[in-house]
Amino acid sequence: MRVAERDMETPTGRQVLIEVAYAGVNRPDVLQRSGSYPPPPGASPYLGLEVSGTIVATGPDAHDWKVGDQVCALTPGGGYAQYCLADERHCLPVPRGLDLLAAAAIPENYFTVWTNVFDRARLSPGEKFLVHGGSSGIGLTAIQLARAFGAQVSTTVGNAQKADACLKAGAHHAVQYRDTDFESEVRQATGGAGVDVILDMVGGSYINKNLRLLALNGRLVQIAFLEGSKAEIDALPIMTKRLQFTGSTLRPRSDEDKGAIAQALAAKVLPLMEKGQCLPLIHQVFPLAEAARAHELMESSRHIGKIMLQVRP
């Protein structure tokens, strides 16, 4: 990857043009760079799914924001740049008490967790929740939100340092999957009852274990496949326990869908952030010119929390 110049874009319709301060680095960026996650039709071919910064221009139909407003935004691409287009409906105000660095770490993870855990899986207070990869940006977001909304939270991690980070974030129980079988550990931690909702990014051999771990009327939500999307599964638990196995991707969804998620976050999550709760954890910040190093760190899985790019000096 290298930095290059291109012509400035002009916002149309309900778009806003953001002068970018920071951009988040996410696993889909790595997949797109490797050629396995092409952008949807009409999206920017450049990397970057979330930014923070200042609005410098608005499209003719935009009315929610004005030039000079500071926002963070979910973007369909193009965030690794000095200027980035976003639909105004996908922008959020910078929460009081947070700076632009923290704000840029919000959109991709919080949109993803909210729509999958709370909209699709309908996680409710008092339910038992398991998220795999708890020390990732997605994982730490899921832990904090699930705990804030009254769930009992378990997670899987790769080492003791990551386990400590997840427990500090609010997890009740962290399993080091390299040292023990997470299925038996989580089952024991829940008194044999299993869990009500699982958020999984691994797939592969985890799928059958997840299905066995789910309690009656449990919900499994798949959002990625680090171990592959193909597996031979025993579907009997789906029938006998009345399970739901679902999943989603965020980037191709309609502008209206993403706008609805933004409204839910503004109403339900930003007030918590302004009280100092459910905040993103930043692992490391790289200059935009060192985006390749940021991707190397992402691929190593050594990080705990978000990897960010500083665009504006």
Side-chain angles (χ1 to χ4, degrees), residues 156-176:
T156 59
V157 294
N159 57 47
Q161 182 184 13
K162 292 182 176 182
D164 288 342
C166 291
L167 293 172
K168 288 178 181 177
H172 297 88
H173 183 228
V175 180
Q176 296 180 50

Side-chain angles (χ1 to χ4, degrees), residues 211-218 237-243:
L211 293 174
R212 291 194 296 263
L213 259 179
L214 284 171
L216 195 67
N217 295 312
I238 297 177
M239 182 174 66
T240 58
K241 294 191 289 184
R242 302 190 295 277
L243 306 181

Side-chain angles (χ1 to χ4, degrees), residues 178-309:
R178 291 191 176 98
D179 300 332
T180 187
D181 177 59
F182 78 80
E183 181 184 357
S184 60
E185 284 287 315
V186 173
R187 189 174 301 283
Q188 182 177 355
T190 58
V195 296
D196 300 291
V197 174
I198 299 176
L199 182 66
D200 184 35
M201 301 165 253
V202 182
S205 64
Y206 276 40
I207 296 176
N208 279 310
K209 292 184 176 185
N210 289 334
L211 293 174
R212 291 194 296 263
L213 259 179
L214 284 171
L216 195 67
N217 295 312
R219 291 87 75 196
L220 168 59
V221 187
Q222 200 75 46
I223 59 169
F225 292 103
L226 296 178
E227 204 178 271
S229 61
K230 296 181 180 180
E232 182 175 333
I233 68 169
D234 178 3
L236 185 61
I238 297 177
M239 182 174 66
T240 58
K241 294 191 289 184
R242 302 190 295 277
L243 306 181
Q244 297 180 38
F245 186 179
T246 184
S248 73
T249 55
L250 181 62
R251 194 177 188 185
R253 294 179 67 171
S254 71
D255 290 337
E256 291 74 18
D257 280 355
K258 295 176 190 175
I261 301 168
Q263 290 177 3
L265 291 174
K268 302 290 183 63
V269 176
L270 264 58
L272 295 177
M273 291 182 166
E274 293 180 349
K275 296 176 182 176
Q277 303 174 35
C278 301
L279 302 178
L281 175 66
I282 309 296
H283 179 85
Q284 190 169 349
V285 183
F286 294 87
L288 177 63
E290 296 181 17
R293 288 184 57 212
H295 276 224
E296 288 172 357
L297 177 58
M298 173 67 73
E299 291 176 297
S300 76
S301 294
R302 295 192 309 270
H303 59 293
I304 296 175
K306 292 289 293 187
I307 302 168
M308 307 298 295
L309 298 175

Side-chain angles (χ1 to χ4, degrees), residues 90-111:
H90 309 160
C91 296
L92 291 168
V94 176
R96 289 189 300 273
L98 272 66
D99 58 15
L100 286 171
L101 173 59
I106 293 172
E108 176 70 12
N109 288 347
Y110 288 76
F111 274 68

Side-chain angles (χ1 to χ4, degrees), residues 105-120:
I106 293 172
E108 176 70 12
N109 288 347
Y110 288 76
F111 274 68
T112 297
V113 170
W114 187 267
T115 189
N116 284 289
V117 175
F118 295 94
D119 287 341
R120 299 191 69 80

Side-chain angles (χ1 to χ4, degrees), residues 49-51 72-76 86-87 90-91 107-108 111 250 258:
L49 300 176
E50 60 184 347
V51 299
C72 58
L74 185 76
T75 74
D87 189 295
H90 309 160
C91 296
E108 176 70 12
F111 274 68
L250 181 62
K258 295 176 190 175

